[in-house]
Amino acid sequence: MTTTPVALTLNAGSSSLKFGLFDISGAPAVMAVGQIDSIGKAPRLKASFGPGRSPVSRDLTPAEAADHKSALTTALAELRSQFPKARASAVGHRVVHGGPSYDRPMVLTPEVMEELRRLSPFAPIHQPHNLAGIDAAVEAFPEALQVACFDTAFHRTHPKVNDVFALPREYYDKGVRRYGFHGLSYDYISGELKRIAPLIHEGRVIVAHLGNGASMCGMIGGRSVASTMGFTALDGLPMGTRTGQIDPGVIFYMVQQEGMSIDEVRQLFYSKSGLLGLSGLSNDMRALEAAGTVEANEAIDYFVFRIRRELGGLAAALGGLDALVFCGGIGENSRLIRERVCEGMGWIGLELDRERNGRNDTVISTDMSRARVMVVPTNEELVIARAARDFLDTRG
């Protein structure tokens, strides 16, 4: 049995399980990354490993991923076949909602788990699945240290004006406030900017995390000042299947005039809207860019429009702009979206270099651009692995 400390990272979504295996004897080094999609439907496993090992991509039987517990069992079997001597010293979990109290990673105790279950109504399509992943990991690794890393924690530095709704004050005290999400991604980007562009890191930066889930964050000195997401991961930008910002009165209309239940409205807003709802085709930006239909183009137009609108608002909150950073699946890979977001934004200091953008360079702005435009791939799993390692170090 190896004595090398190893951390397993888990990110349990509504129908997916992302996992990673890291050597944490020093700075975390990736051994494997992978995911199982379409849990409970038509599950598929994809995983890649270190040098000399072939990647895996195969369909699973329904029994291999009927739920998160069986999906984790399948993922662990694949990891053990590749690394038979590896034993997890710690398991790090992405947890979407940490509420107002958790502003940093935490060791998962029964008391912490009880509090996280209480927060499930704040993130109904994420939190229960995150917790199901934790329960499965505790059963699989009863001796391992279990660590939670919260998507909301990075935004606990917000000033109160960016943390509060215009509701009676009692609701703020009950936890109804702007939390912001995608914090693990923003934490990673902040750290990378400090490493590769320290002067930019200290300035006014807007990070656009664009993927199936999408949001934007305004930072000063690497700390979150404002976010497009609020009380839930539904607010702000339109997403793959989520509405983004919407007049709350639409909910009243749907219930009173359309006769929908609250659960039906929740399903509509979270799972049938966004790029999918607008296009009537797909929640995948690659499919929309290739489709060329009127509806697909209108979905792209709205996505870009909302990014540009939030860009202006966040720049106002920051008092100016020194850099715009793209990350996430769309932000890192869609040259079209980056170009259209930056087009005509010279008034805010952005001037895109099309050749650099076409090459996917790290810096894609012109040399004359007053604000730098960058593409920085994010790595949420590495943030989780670092937290797990730090807790193990603390415990000796």
Side-chain angles (χ1 to χ4, degrees):
M1 182 181 298
T2 182
T3 57
T4 300
V6 171
L8 175 69
T9 64
L10 296 177
N11 180 349
S14 58
S15 61
S16 66
L17 177 69
K18 295 180 181 179
F19 57 89
L21 196 66
F22 291 81
D23 178 341
I24 53 171
S25 56
V30 65
M31 299 166 64
V33 292
Q35 64 187 71
I36 296 177
D37 293 314
S38 298
I39 293 173
K41 298 176 183 177
R44 184 170 182 81
L45 167 70
K46 292 183 180 181
S48 58
F49 311 97
R53 299 175 186 266
S54 300
V56 171
S57 180
R58 63 183 175 89
D59 293 328
L60 302 175
T61 67
E64 288 180 297
D67 52 25
H68 287 82
K69 182 178 179 180
S70 57
L72 177 59
T73 299
T74 299
L76 293 178
E78 186 64 45
L79 291 174
R80 285 171 180 144
S81 72
Q82 298 285 337
F83 307 97
K85 294 184 178 181
R87 297 293 183 272
S89 304
V91 184
H93 303 267
R94 178 199 178 205
V95 178
V96 166
H97 218 301
S101 301
Y102 298 132
D103 61 356
R104 65 200 65 192
M106 296 288 293
V107 172
L108 285 160
T109 64
E111 294 75 20
V112 172
M113 285 295 292
E114 182 179 352
E115 175 64 13
L116 297 183
R117 294 189 198 284
R118 191 186 68 80
L119 293 171
S120 289
F122 291 11
I125 71 164
H126 294 94
Q127 197 86 345
H129 302 292
N130 297 159
L131 300 182
I134 294 171
D135 289 338
V138 169
E139 185 173 336
F141 301 99
E143 303 300 321
L145 185 69
Q146 305 283 338
V147 177
C149 299
F150 306 103
D151 253 348
T152 51
F154 186 74
H155 303 291
R156 293 300 85 223
T157 55
H158 281 184
K160 190 167 184 178
V161 71
N162 284 333
D163 203 38
V164 68
F165 293 107
L167 289 168
R169 300 177 72 91
E170 65 191 85
Y171 292 102
Y172 182 85
D173 297 334
K174 292 179 179 179
V176 181
R177 56 185 74 180
R178 294 184 184 277
Y179 289 101
F181 297 88
H182 292 133
L184 299 182
S185 177
Y186 295 129
D187 189 357
Y188 179 81
I189 297 298
S190 176
E192 277 297 279
L193 288 178
K194 188 173 185 177
R195 183 179 69 86
I196 66 175
L199 292 180
I200 291 294
H201 172 268
E202 291 304 309
R204 301 161 298 184
V205 178
I206 295 173
V207 181
H209 176 104
L210 308 179
N212 193 51
S215 69
M216 297 168 70
C217 175
M219 305 179 190
I220 296 178
R223 293 161 65 88
S224 178
V225 173
S227 170
T228 59
M229 281 184 167
F231 178 60
T232 69
L234 188 66
D235 199 9
L237 301 178
M239 292 163 252
T241 62
R242 284 174 257 169
T243 61
Q245 184 275 329
I246 193 167
D247 183 340
V250 174
I251 300 173
F252 308 147
Y253 173 84
M254 294 294 185
V255 172
Q256 295 171 346
Q257 303 301 320
E258 296 292 322
M260 298 175 69
S261 69
I262 291 298
D263 284 342
E264 288 172 332
V265 174
R266 181 185 293 113
Q267 180 76 3
L268 174 66
F269 283 12
Y270 275 104
S271 304
K272 300 179 180 179
S273 299
L275 295 175
L276 174 63
L278 284 170
S279 70
L281 174 66
S282 176
N283 63 320
D284 190 321
M285 182 59 71
R286 293 166 296 187
L288 299 184
E289 289 183 10
T293 65
V294 171
E295 294 82 2
N297 290 337
E298 287 179 348
I300 294 172
D301 288 346
Y302 183 68
F303 186 66
V304 170
F305 168 75
R306 290 302 311 190
I307 295 169
R308 288 163 61 90
R309 179 165 171 161
E310 296 290 353
L311 180 60
L314 287 171
L318 298 178
L321 182 63
D322 297 308
L324 169 64
V325 179
F326 289 98
C327 69
I330 297 173
E332 293 167 24
N333 297 293
S334 177
R335 298 163 178 82
L336 173 66
I337 296 300
R338 295 195 302 255
E339 179 178 331
R340 290 195 54 189
V341 167
C342 295
E343 186 178 10
M345 296 294 277
W347 63 273
I348 206 172
L350 302 178
E351 187 175 289
L352 193 73
D353 186 307
R354 291 191 176 185
E355 290 186 3
R356 292 173 178 174
N357 184 49
R359 295 194 302 261
N360 254 33
D361 288 356
T362 299
V363 176
I364 59 173
S365 49
T366 68
D367 293 338
M368 299 301 293
S369 181
R370 287 186 288 116
R372 190 174 298 182
V373 186
M374 303 177 70
V375 181
V376 180
T378 193
N379 192 333
E380 295 164 305
E381 284 71 28
L382 185 56
V383 173
I384 299 171
R386 287 169 177 166
R389 178 206 59 191
D390 290 347
F391 274 109
L392 282 175
D393 290 346
T394 300
R395 291 196 166 193

